Amino acid sequence: MNNPGTSALIRKQITISKYLCSTELEEEVSEIIVGLSAEQKYLPSKFFYDANGSKLFEDITCLPEYYPTRTEKSLLKEVAPQISKTLRNIDIVELGSGDCSKISILLDAIPFENMANVRYIPVDVSHAAISESARILVERFPEITVHGLLADFLKHLSAIPKETKRLFCFFGSTLGNLTRKQSVLFLLDLKTVMKPGDQLLLGLDMVKDIKVLENAYNDNQGITAAFNKNILCVVNNYVKTAFCPDWFEHIAFYNQSKGRIEMHLRALKDLETSCLYLPDKIRIKKGETIHTENSHKFTHWHIFDFACITGLKINAVYTDNRQWFSLVHFIA
Ligand code: AVJ
């Protein structure tokens, strides 16, 4: 694989464009400061995903308690033959792509003779995630072209190429990390950049038994706890605080009225830390929490609402027989 001819070929096959810039960095610092200064302290969940956090998340997806990834992948495997029939001369855009295991399932089902005109466009805030999955994919699918976008899909939808027909993939129920209002606004934005005939494949974690939901975020091995606490290390890096993960305990519970899992970090003692960007120390009282994630769960009503509000047409809704996870296939 390492002879110069092959790597030159691979380089031509892979390009990455950057849309994140240094002003974004300042924006991220202020997002953190605003969250830590609020009455109920909070941190945006995108700060989970540094190199260590992304690794911990991949570990989470393998946990026996964490059913979403497994369920979504088996749904994808089932429906891929159906969906991939239409995939030729197309850009497959994956929002928040992470690793390439889900898109591989779809690509696997595309007939070889159609692959030459398929381009994969991963959109992610992690350069490592994009370049690593590009490397794996061109090895596995020698005919494919990969054009990565290092970008925040909430801000840079307009940077996505539009000359070809597109299939947007938004897997993992990542939409659930937004508030209900934000998720509708985001789908409206997405609909605006879609052209008639463009498709959207949306993965949604469904409302279910509370015990199943809460177990998925309170695993026995404490990986989710480590993932939650890792956000403090990321924050320390950005704003030069000195939070020690051991000062907090991991809390995750289902908020029934809001239909979402909430993750928090709860202070085990009164604590304080300086911060490069604040004149005073940040003080947190014993028992006070930092809200780190919302993971909204969906019902079929939410799916119909999305269609009504955005004007996207539901082509099919694929749900496993336990009704735990849905893949919705929309057409613009
Ligand atoms: C990838 C954001 C959808 O909310 O279930 C896993 C992240 N957090 N365990 C989710 C997560 C805790 C995951 N998402």
Side-chain angles (χ1 to χ4, degrees):
M1 239 13 245
N2 274 333
N3 72 68
T6 317
S7 58
L9 200 73
I10 287 176
R11 265 200 298 278
K12 243 177 99 180
Q13 213 176 343
I14 300 175
T15 51
I16 299 179
S17 307
K18 298 187 187 185
Y19 293 90
L20 296 174
C21 49
S22 51
T23 56
E24 230 89 340
L25 238 150
E26 285 164 33
E27 233 174 273
E28 297 186 328
V29 163
S30 71
E31 282 174 89
I32 292 172
I33 299 299
V34 167
L36 290 179
S37 311
E39 175 66 11
Q40 162 69 66
K41 294 184 170 48
Y42 69 90
L43 290 166
S45 354
K46 68 173 171 190
F47 293 111
F48 282 125
Y49 302 96
D50 68 340
N52 188 38
S54 301
K55 171 74 182 58
L56 285 166
F57 178 67
E58 271 182 46
D59 293 344
I60 287 174
T61 64
C62 302
L63 290 168
E65 296 94 338
Y66 196 75
Y67 62 85
T69 312
R70 209 173 304 120
T71 312
E72 185 176 37
K73 281 186 184 171
S74 74
L75 271 176
L76 251 178
K77 209 164 279 171
E78 230 171 278
V79 308
Q82 183 91 4
I83 292 167
S84 61
K85 269 191 284 189
T86 63
L87 302 182
R88 62 173 74 90
N89 305 318
I90 198 160
D91 280 344
I92 302 178
V93 181
E94 187 177 6
L95 306 173
S97 48
D99 78 22
C100 54
S101 59
K102 288 176 190 166
I103 213 66
S104 300
I105 297 173
L106 203 57
L107 296 174
D108 259 332
I110 299 178
F112 179 79
E113 62 274 19
N114 294 346
M115 274 309 261
N117 297 312
V118 171
R119 180 164 67 159
Y120 173 54
I121 305 186
V123 183
D124 206 288
V125 288
S126 159
H127 189 276
I130 294 176
S131 57
E132 177 65 4
S133 43
R135 196 184 58 74
I136 294 171
L137 286 175
V138 297
E139 203 172 306
R140 199 153 152 208
F141 306 97
E143 299 296 308
I144 204 173
T145 311
V146 180
H147 178 50
L149 302 183
L150 185 62
D152 180 342
F153 58 73
L154 289 180
K155 299 177 189 162
H156 303 117
L157 281 182
S158 60
I160 297 165
K162 354 184 149 21
E163 57 279 6
T164 314
K165 180 172 60 131
R166 293 164 303 177
L167 166 66
F168 290 90
C169 296
F170 195 19
F171 294 136
S173 203
T174 303
L175 186 71
N177 284 165
L178 306 181
T179 65
R180 296 280 177 202
K181 197 194 245 170
Q182 284 171 333
S183 61
V184 168
L185 291 176
F186 174 71
L187 291 178
L188 276 169
D189 278 353
L190 186 59
K191 170 68 189 336
T192 313
V193 304
M194 288 171 84
K195 286 177 298 184
D198 282 353
Q199 310 171 65
L200 167 64
L201 204 49
L202 179 64
L204 298 174
D205 193 17
M206 306 301 275
V207 170
K208 61 182 67 59
D209 188 87
I210 295 185
K211 280 211 192 71
V212 176
L213 285 170
E214 292 193 334
N215 281 342
Y217 295 82
N218 290 286
D219 65 278
N220 273 326
Q221 297 168 58
I223 311 279
T224 309
F227 172 75
N228 195 5
K229 290 179 190 180
N230 178 63
I231 203 170
L232 295 171
C233 306
V234 180
V235 164
N236 285 342
N237 264 326
Y238 271 104
V239 301
K240 309 301 170 205
T241 41
F243 287 115
C244 176
D246 298 344
W247 296 344
F248 295 86
E249 63 178 334
H250 162 75
I251 307 278
F253 59 88
Y254 189 62
N255 180 332
Q256 185 113 43
S257 65
K258 301 219 159 129
R260 70 191 190 196
I261 289 281
E262 291 186 15
M263 291 211 309
H264 294 253
L265 290 163
R266 182 156 66 197
L268 292 166
K269 54 171 190 179
D270 290 348
L271 57 93
E272 58 178 41
T273 173
S274 59
C275 166
L276 179 59
Y277 301 94
L278 290 174
D280 299 320
K281 288 199 163 164
I282 297 171
R283 293 195 170 76
I284 301 182
K285 287 219 146 48
K286 180 177 178 180
E288 195 183 336
T289 73
I290 305 175
H291 187 176
T292 51
E293 186 178 59
N294 289 318
S295 195
H296 290 84
K297 306 305 166 188
F298 299 89
T299 65
H300 286 91
W301 297 114
H302 291 115
I303 297 173
F304 299 140
D305 270 353
F306 290 150
C308 286
I309 296 169
T310 62
L312 287 164
K313 291 180 279 291
I314 298 175
N315 183 55
V317 182
Y318 306 101
T319 306
D320 63 301
N321 29 28
R322 292 181 301 192
Q323 311 250 34
W324 281 8
F325 204 95
S326 292
L327 270 177
V328 190
H329 186 194
F330 292 102
I331 299 181

